[in-house]
């Protein structure tokens, strides 16, 4: 199983307990990607948001900077908000990243969990699904063909148009990022795309029927089982002891998700809810290395086998030093135990 980290480039806390400037936060993020590479992790993903608290509105630029400082780790988006982007430019950006990284680039494309990109780029939220479907079709067409002829509703047509540069990898890896919509799982299966499931709450095993739906759709479309890979994007944090992990993570987690909940109509986070989510079946991967490794394996078994798991842990206001230590533990201990 590949183990990695996803980041939204949050402005974290520095060693004095004060909030980093945006410049400092970006420098520390690149340090963490380098740390993940040195710790032997398989993949590092950068999200895409257009909000004050995150610095990831241009993920391909961050990943390109990271490519120059790393050797082995794969570099991906997590996710590219394809509905609000031009597929030609998305492909060109990531093809360029693939050349810079010498074949280590990927992308996870999705519709995103926030909607601020729609008004920002002059798009109608009522076209939410139609935009994504059309743009995904074009992106895959560009990936598979150097010269493209295509027409659609939301973008000017292309006629015998060559698109460059071409990436080093052929085919270039594109994952489909999904939440909980059955149609999204079926779409990924029909297209034969690897699936990245965002699990931010609830009990992870509840996704098994949807993953079965994905695999069955892929089988019916004629795709080989080994092509239908499943990954999990999970909120998590690892410390030397479970008590330390909880004490570090809970205050910032509660503050962040209570604040987001006000936008989305969720109730405030309470400690009993957090403890349930951290329990054996819950989505949160928070604890000591042995506990978290065992939970990852339980999740994999419950879902019929997963190929990749990424930790998202910079949404709890943790300091850079704590994040660096957690990345080291995940790379040197958790990943080792999972794969033994």
């Amino acid at each position: 199983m590949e183990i990695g980290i996803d980041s939204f480039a949050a402005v974290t806390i520095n060693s004095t307990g004060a909030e980093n400037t945006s410049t400092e936060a970006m420098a520390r993020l690149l340090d963490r990607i380098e740390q993940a590479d040195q710790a032997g992790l398989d993949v590092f993903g950068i999200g895409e948001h257009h909000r004050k608290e995150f610095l990831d509105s241009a993920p391909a630029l961050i990943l390109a900077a990271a490519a120059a400082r790393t050797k082995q780790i794969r570099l991906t988006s997590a996710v590219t908000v394809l509905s609000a982007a031009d597929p030609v430019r998305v492909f060109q950006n990531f093809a360029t990243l693939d050349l810079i990284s010498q074949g280590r680039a990927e992308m996870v494309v999705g519709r995103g969990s926030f909607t601020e990109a729609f008004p920002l780029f002059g798009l109608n939220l009522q076209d939410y699904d139609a935009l994504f479907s059309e743009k995904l079709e074009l992106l895959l067409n560009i990936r598979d063909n150097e010269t493209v002829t295509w027409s659609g509703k939301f973008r000017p047509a292309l006629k015998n148009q060559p698109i460059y540069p071409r990436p080093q990898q052929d085919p270039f890896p594109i994952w489909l990022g999904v939440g909980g919509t059955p149609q999204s799982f079926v779409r990924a299966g029909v297209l034969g795309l690897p699936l990245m499931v965002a699990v931010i709450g609830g009990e992870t095993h509840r996704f098994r029927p949807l993953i079965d739906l994905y695999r069955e759709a892929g089988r019916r479309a004629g795709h080989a089982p080994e092509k239908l890979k499943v990954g999990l994007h999970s909120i998590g944090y690892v410390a030397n002891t479970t008590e330390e992990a909880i004490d570090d993570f809970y205050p910032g987690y509660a503050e962040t998700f209570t604040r987001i909940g006000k936008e989305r109509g969720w109730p405030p986070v309470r400690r009993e809810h957090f403890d349930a989510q951290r329990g054996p079946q819950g989505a949160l991967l928070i604890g000591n290395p042995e506990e978290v490794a065992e939970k990852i394996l339980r999740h994999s078994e419950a879902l019929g086998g997963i190929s990749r798991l990424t930790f998202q842990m910079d949404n709890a206001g943790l300091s850079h030093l704590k994040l660096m230590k957690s990345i080291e533990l995940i790379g040197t201990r958790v990943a080792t135990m999972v794969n033994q």
Side-chain angles (χ1 to χ4, degrees), residues 68-130:
R69 296 177 53 170
T70 55
K71 303 294 186 185
Q72 301 294 330
I73 198 165
R74 298 190 67 76
L75 302 166
T76 185
S77 58
V79 302
T80 294
V81 184
L82 189 61
S83 305
D86 181 349
V88 174
R89 291 300 284 156
V90 168
F91 182 83
Q92 290 175 324
N93 286 339
F94 278 86
T96 303
L97 173 64
D98 201 45
L99 299 177
I100 293 170
S101 66
Q102 299 182 21
R104 292 186 284 128
E106 300 184 0
M107 70 174 89
V108 181
V109 299
R111 293 177 287 189
S113 59
F114 293 93
T115 59
E116 70 274 357
F118 284 80
L120 181 63
F121 296 109
L123 301 168
N124 191 333
L125 195 57
Q126 292 182 337
D127 296 324
Y128 186 77
D129 190 62

Side-chain angles (χ1 to χ4, degrees), residues 219-230:
R219 185 192 67 80
R220 289 178 177 272
H223 300 296
E226 60 269 19
K227 191 176 180 181
L228 302 171
K229 297 189 291 185
V230 175

Side-chain angles (χ1 to χ4, degrees), residues 23-272:
T23 301
E24 291 168 336
M26 191 65 75
R28 300 293 79 78
L29 172 60
L30 293 173
D31 288 343
R32 294 196 294 276
I33 301 175
E34 188 172 4
Q35 171 85 329
D37 185 48
Q38 294 173 353
L41 286 167
D42 298 291
V43 61
F44 203 107
I46 299 293
E48 181 190 336
H49 299 83
H50 303 272
R51 301 169 65 90
K52 182 178 180 179
E53 64 266 36
F54 301 129
L55 303 175
D56 59 350
S57 63
L61 286 178
I62 299 173
L63 294 169
R69 296 177 53 170
T70 55
K71 303 294 186 185
Q72 301 294 330
I73 198 165
R74 298 190 67 76
L75 302 166
T76 185
S77 58
V79 302
T80 294
V81 184
L82 189 61
S83 305
D86 181 349
V88 174
R89 291 300 284 156
V90 168
F91 182 83
Q92 290 175 324
N93 286 339
F94 278 86
T96 303
L97 173 64
D98 201 45
L99 299 177
I100 293 170
S101 66
Q102 299 182 21
R104 292 186 284 128
E106 300 184 0
M107 70 174 89
V108 181
V109 299
R111 293 177 287 189
S113 59
F114 293 93
T115 59
E116 70 274 357
F118 284 80
L120 181 63
F121 296 109
L123 301 168
N124 191 333
L125 195 57
Q126 292 182 337
D127 296 324
Y128 186 77
D129 190 62
L131 277 164
F132 183 73
S133 297
E134 178 176 297
K135 292 186 176 188
L136 178 60
E137 174 195 313
L138 176 54
L139 179 66
L140 295 176
N141 192 330
I142 296 168
R143 179 187 71 168
D144 297 338
N145 300 282
E146 187 171 324
T147 301
V148 174
T149 295
W150 175 91
S151 64
K153 177 180 177 182
F154 299 105
R155 190 203 184 281
L158 298 169
K159 184 175 181 180
N160 294 323
Q161 181 66 54
I163 296 174
Y164 302 111
R166 306 307 297 178
Q168 178 175 316
Q169 298 175 89
D170 185 16
F172 181 83
I174 297 175
W175 295 61
L176 192 62
V178 299
T181 306
Q183 295 89 336
S184 297
F185 286 79
V186 170
R187 172 161 45 205
V190 170
L191 295 172
L193 296 176
L195 186 74
M196 180 56 72
V197 185
V199 184
I200 62 171
E203 296 184 337
T204 301
H205 69 266
R206 68 189 171 91
F207 285 92
R208 178 60 184 266
L210 294 170
I211 290 172
D212 287 345
L213 197 63
Y214 160 70
R215 290 179 168 133
E216 177 61 17
R219 185 192 67 80
R220 289 178 177 272
H223 300 296
E226 60 269 19
K227 191 176 180 181
L228 302 171
K229 297 189 291 185
V230 175
L232 294 185
H233 162 99
S234 298
I235 294 172
Y237 174 69
V238 178
N240 286 314
T241 69
T242 297
E243 292 74 17
E244 181 186 352
I246 293 170
D247 290 345
D248 287 348
F249 199 83
Y250 175 70
Y253 168 85
E255 189 279 327
T256 296
F257 279 86
T258 296
R259 174 168 38 82
I260 294 172
K262 291 179 180 178
E263 299 178 25
R264 301 192 178 188
W266 300 342
V269 174
R270 301 188 183 281
R271 180 57 188 265
E272 56 268 27

